[in-house]
Amino acid sequence: MTSVHDVVIVGAGFAGLACAKRAAELDLSVLVIDRQPSPGRYIHTTGILVQEAQSSWPAPAELTREISRIRLYAPSHRHVELESTKYRFFATDTVGLMKFLVDETRRAGAEVRFNCEFNGVNTRDCYIELNDLGIKTRYLVGADGVNSRVARSAGLDHNTRLLKGLEWEYEPNDLIDDCLHCFVDPAIAPGYIGWVIPGVGATQVGLAVNQRQNADIDSFVASIDSRFDLSALRVTAKRGGMIPINGLLRNFFTSQILLLGDAAGMVSPLTAGGIHRSYRYGKLAANAIADYLQDSGTNPGIVVRAAYDDAIWKYAARWSFDNLPLTTCMEVGVSIARLFRRVAGKVFYDRFAID
């Protein structure tokens, strides 16, 4: 038997669930499919929420750990500390968070199916049919990650500039200062940074590099072991994935298909953060889809593109990160800490004023 829906969303990640929950609240018939066997089974993110994301879709206190400070290290491990009394980050139990988001989405009225793999589509009359699944939909959303199958099936653009990220979870260590420890060192993390995060029931240690570089997390861990005593801790989990930094794709929608989240390149080209954008544009897309299907409104892709915040300064900063002598810049910057704190504050807090 074929099931018919207003909206089918491929991918039960942050963007897909935000879109599904809002669409269900608007009385659309919504189905989310995901090839994972269960929520959060395969994690490809650090799970750090910026303050805006936590305000948009609040995670329970038991799944989060509030962090207000950032310690930014130069290659010599000299550092500058950033702190704001008005801004917070939130480390999360990411598996627990994904289960919570799925439960919230189901309570809103959307159906979420796991162990359900997308295998392409055919368009018949006014509907899109998902191959081999017995599913028809009036509108299809591809929120299926950086290498989106929906994008390939629909002939849409794909991500071309990527970072390669790896993260190891260690046992918790109460001796680690309660802040985000960020290491900028082109020799160890070409293209991005290394990090240590006092997480929820874990110590998160990660490294992200340009896609053609080797992410040598063993060397990174060895270089910081004297500071954090990681060798005394047991590794409890490992994860990794690709992060798009090319910005919003040019062709990310058709008349009946829209890409969201990593699939559409909705990730900051500078900080590689994407959860808040997933929440924001997932909800915006749902509103636009409801208007499009119910009232013959504007194509949702046009609505999302018009609203998308694609700050030019972030691309300029990314170019500087990739092309300037970063080691020298960092060491000089740490030496003139006041100015450096203002610039770094703009990057991490998206504002120049740091308390």
Side-chain angles (χ1 to χ4, degrees):
M1 179 180 293
T2 299
S3 61
V4 182
H5 306 270
D6 292 319
V7 185
V8 169
I9 298 169
V10 182
F14 296 103
L17 294 172
C19 183
K21 180 175 181 290
R22 181 57 184 156
E25 291 169 346
L26 294 170
D27 295 324
L28 296 179
S29 169
V30 182
L31 170 65
V32 182
I33 64 171
D34 196 294
R35 61 180 176 175
Q36 295 186 85
S38 59
R41 178 65 176 273
Y42 305 117
I43 298 296
H44 303 289
T45 173
T46 62
I48 295 292
L49 302 177
V50 296
Q51 184 166 290
E52 294 86 350
Q54 175 65 354
S55 298
S56 175
W57 196 345
E62 64 269 19
L63 298 179
T64 65
R65 180 172 180 172
E66 188 175 301
I67 299 173
S68 63
R69 295 182 296 144
I70 297 172
R71 190 169 293 167
L72 192 60
Y73 296 82
S76 65
H77 287 189
R78 292 192 300 163
H79 63 267
V80 168
E81 193 159 299
L82 313 175
E83 184 171 10
S84 174
T85 59
K86 301 175 182 178
Y87 199 90
R88 297 289 184 270
F89 297 90
F90 297 85
T92 65
D93 170 356
T94 312
V95 175
L97 176 60
M98 298 313 302
K99 292 178 180 177
F100 165 77
L101 297 181
V102 168
D103 288 344
E104 289 271 289
T105 301
R106 284 172 168 158
R107 275 194 287 270
E111 181 183 355
V112 184
R113 296 183 196 171
F114 290 94
N115 274 322
C116 190
E117 188 161 358
F118 176 82
N119 292 308
V121 296
N122 286 300
T123 302
R124 297 179 186 274
D125 301 323
C126 298
Y127 289 93
I128 294 175
E129 295 185 358
L130 277 66
N131 294 345
D132 306 321
L133 293 178
I135 297 170
K136 293 172 64 175
T137 183
R138 297 171 64 196
Y139 201 89
L140 179 67
V141 174
D144 53 336
V146 62
N147 295 309
S148 170
R149 292 188 177 188
V150 174
R152 292 200 300 271
S153 178
L156 296 171
D157 286 351
H158 61 278
N159 294 291
T160 56
R161 294 197 64 199
L162 305 169
L163 296 175
K164 182 191 304 177
L166 292 175
E167 185 173 82
W168 291 356
E169 280 195 357
Y170 287 81
E171 296 171 306
N173 185 350
D174 293 335
L175 298 178
I176 296 178
D177 290 339
D178 197 9
C179 63
L180 302 182
H181 299 266
C182 300
F183 293 81
V184 182
D185 185 346
I188 291 178
Y192 195 46
I193 60 172
W195 60 87
V196 176
I197 303 167
V200 179
T203 301
Q204 298 172 231
V205 180
L207 186 69
V209 303
N210 285 326
Q211 66 189 95
R212 293 182 179 84
Q213 302 292 329
N214 177 38
D216 187 355
I217 196 167
D218 291 288
S219 293
F220 173 57
V221 169
S223 73
I224 61 175
D225 189 54
S226 61
R227 182 177 296 272
F228 298 107
D229 199 20
L230 295 172
S231 60
L233 304 176
R234 180 172 57 90
V235 176
T236 58
K238 296 182 179 182
R239 56 190 178 221
M242 306 301 289
I243 309 163
I245 55 169
N246 41 238
L248 184 66
L249 299 176
R250 182 181 297 274
N251 298 309
F252 68 99
F253 64 90
T254 69
S255 61
Q256 289 181 281
I257 300 174
L258 173 71
L259 303 181
L260 283 177
D262 285 9
M266 292 180 175
V267 174
S268 168
L270 181 57
T271 66
I275 297 177
H276 176 231
R277 293 183 183 210
S278 291
Y279 285 175
R280 178 182 177 187
Y281 296 109
K283 294 178 181 179
L284 176 69
N287 289 333
I289 291 167
D291 183 53
Y292 185 61
L293 295 180
Q294 295 169 347
D295 300 309
S296 300
T298 304
N299 185 310
I302 295 175
V303 174
V304 172
R305 177 186 284 157
Y308 194 75
D309 176 18
D310 222 4
I312 294 176
W313 74 267
K314 293 182 180 180
Y315 290 94
R318 164 51 61 181
W319 182 92
S320 299
F321 201 93
D322 289 339
N323 293 279
L324 295 181
L326 198 58
T327 297
T328 301
C329 291
M330 283 295 300
E331 297 296 352
V332 171
V334 170
S335 299
I336 50 175
R338 185 176 180 181
L339 174 61
F340 187 70
R341 287 176 73 249
R342 286 175 58 81
V343 175
K346 177 62 177 175
V347 172
F348 286 97
Y349 295 95
D350 203 22
R351 52 181 57 81
F352 278 118
I354 296 296
D355 300 342

